[in-house]
Amino acid sequence: MSEPSPFNELPPVVWALFFLIMGVELVFWLGASGFIGGPEAIGWRLQAVNDYGFSGQAFDWMVENGRVRVDYLMRFVTYPFVHGAIISALLAGVILLAMGKLVGEVMGSFAVIVLFFLCGILGAAILGLLTDEGWLYGAYPCVYGLIGAYTFLLWQNLSGTGLRQLSAFRLIGVLMALQLIFGIFVETGLAWIGELAGFAVGFLISPLLIPGGMARVLDTIRRR
């Protein structure tokens, strides 16, 4: 008797987010390949970044003028679904599936949704406040938020075993190191600030999404 596929155990909300990301990529691929949209479809990806990516200039305009524009505000929730290349989207999708399963099993589907969007929103806002970065697009601040939640779960588990809790941060450390190395050869801009902010938000809000989470954190602090 064959083992059940681990993908069958994924929360439906994780599949929904994954297929939404991949669906957008499919449209870009079909357009660039000439199957739909005609000659102008080649530029759909760039147009989508311009229309739906997070714009630092638009954010600064709202902050400086104290005004909110819906078309600027919507970019906080649309930018995670537009990627610069299909490889970038595939990698984000793989991390989403892996972290969504691990976090969803413990914290539930609602927590996954909250983490995905809230980490994306605050990651972009923090990037906009700290830098003059022109654009942010792709799901990485969101999936890094799920990594932050997973790191919190590891950190909590290690607190009761006598093992070093800092080892819970090994995954994000490896990812940041790889990104630094990659940035030496390819200009990656300051998007890593939004991604690291997404991770921090995911870690910090996780206790609020788990019953008794704050009590366990306070208990861990008291025992130090």
Side-chain angles (χ1 to χ4, degrees), residues 86-107:
I86 189 170
I87 295 298
S88 177
L90 286 171
L91 180 57
V94 169
I95 298 174
L96 170 62
L97 292 177
M99 292 296 108
K101 180 180 187 299
L102 294 170
V103 173
E105 285 177 346
V106 178
M107 302 173 70

Side-chain angles (χ1 to χ4, degrees), residues 99 147 150-151 154 167-176:
M99 292 296 108
I147 294 174
Y150 175 67
T151 301
L154 284 179
S167 63
F169 295 88
R170 187 176 299 152
L171 177 58
I172 188 63
V174 170
L175 289 172
M176 287 291 105

Side-chain angles (χ1 to χ4, degrees), residues 15-84:
W15 279 122
L17 292 170
F18 175 79
F19 284 126
L20 186 54
I21 291 172
M22 291 299 109
V24 171
E25 283 302 313
L26 177 61
V27 171
F28 291 156
W29 180 80
L30 290 173
S33 300
F35 292 107
I36 59 174
E40 64 273 15
I42 296 176
W44 278 356
R45 186 185 297 277
L46 181 59
Q47 188 61 48
V49 170
N50 288 329
D51 292 342
Y52 301 107
F54 173 78
S55 168
Q57 288 78 14
F59 178 78
D60 289 343
W61 183 91
M62 290 193 293
V63 172
E64 292 168 2
N65 292 278
R67 295 174 55 189
V68 174
R69 285 183 49 169
V70 175
D71 57 332
Y72 289 173
L73 205 59
M74 74 174 186
R75 294 172 181 265
F76 282 95
V77 294
T78 56
Y79 84 83
F81 302 100
V82 181
H83 292 78

Side-chain angles (χ1 to χ4, degrees), residues 9 37 72 101 104 129 159 166-167 214:
E9 302 171 6
Y72 289 173
K101 180 180 187 299
L129 289 171
S159 69
L166 286 179
S167 63
M214 282 303 301

Side-chain angles (χ1 to χ4, degrees), residues 51-223:
D51 292 342
Y52 301 107
F54 173 78
S55 168
Q57 288 78 14
F59 178 78
D60 289 343
W61 183 91
M62 290 193 293
V63 172
E64 292 168 2
N65 292 278
R67 295 174 55 189
V68 174
R69 285 183 49 169
V70 175
D71 57 332
Y72 289 173
L73 205 59
M74 74 174 186
R75 294 172 181 265
F76 282 95
V77 294
T78 56
Y79 84 83
F81 302 100
V82 181
H83 292 78
I86 189 170
I87 295 298
S88 177
L90 286 171
L91 180 57
V94 169
I95 298 174
L96 170 62
L97 292 177
M99 292 296 108
K101 180 180 187 299
L102 294 170
V103 173
E105 285 177 346
V106 178
M107 302 173 70
S109 296
F110 177 73
V112 171
I113 281 286
V114 171
L115 286 162
F116 185 90
F117 284 105
L118 189 58
C119 292
I121 291 169
L122 294 181
I126 291 170
L127 174 67
L129 289 171
L130 294 181
T131 76
D132 294 324
E133 176 79 1
W135 297 95
L136 179 65
Y137 45 88
Y140 288 95
C142 307
V143 297
Y144 272 47
L146 293 174
I147 294 174
Y150 175 67
T151 301
F152 172 79
L153 296 175
L154 284 179
W155 181 77
Q156 281 290 284
N157 288 335
L158 292 174
S159 69
T161 63
L163 299 175
R164 295 187 61 180
Q165 287 180 288
L166 286 179
S167 63
F169 295 88
R170 187 176 299 152
L171 177 58
I172 188 63
V174 170
L175 289 172
M176 287 291 105
L178 290 174
Q179 192 164 46
L180 178 62
I181 295 171
F182 183 71
I184 295 174
F185 302 100
V186 179
E187 178 59 44
T188 57
L190 297 175
W192 65 269
I193 296 176
E195 295 162 4
L196 191 58
F199 170 85
V201 172
F203 185 89
L204 292 173
I205 69 171
S206 290
L208 304 178
L209 299 174
I210 306 174
M214 282 303 301
R216 290 199 293 271
V217 170
L218 293 174
D219 181 61
T220 299
I221 294 173
R222 289 193 197 99
R223 284 185 288 154

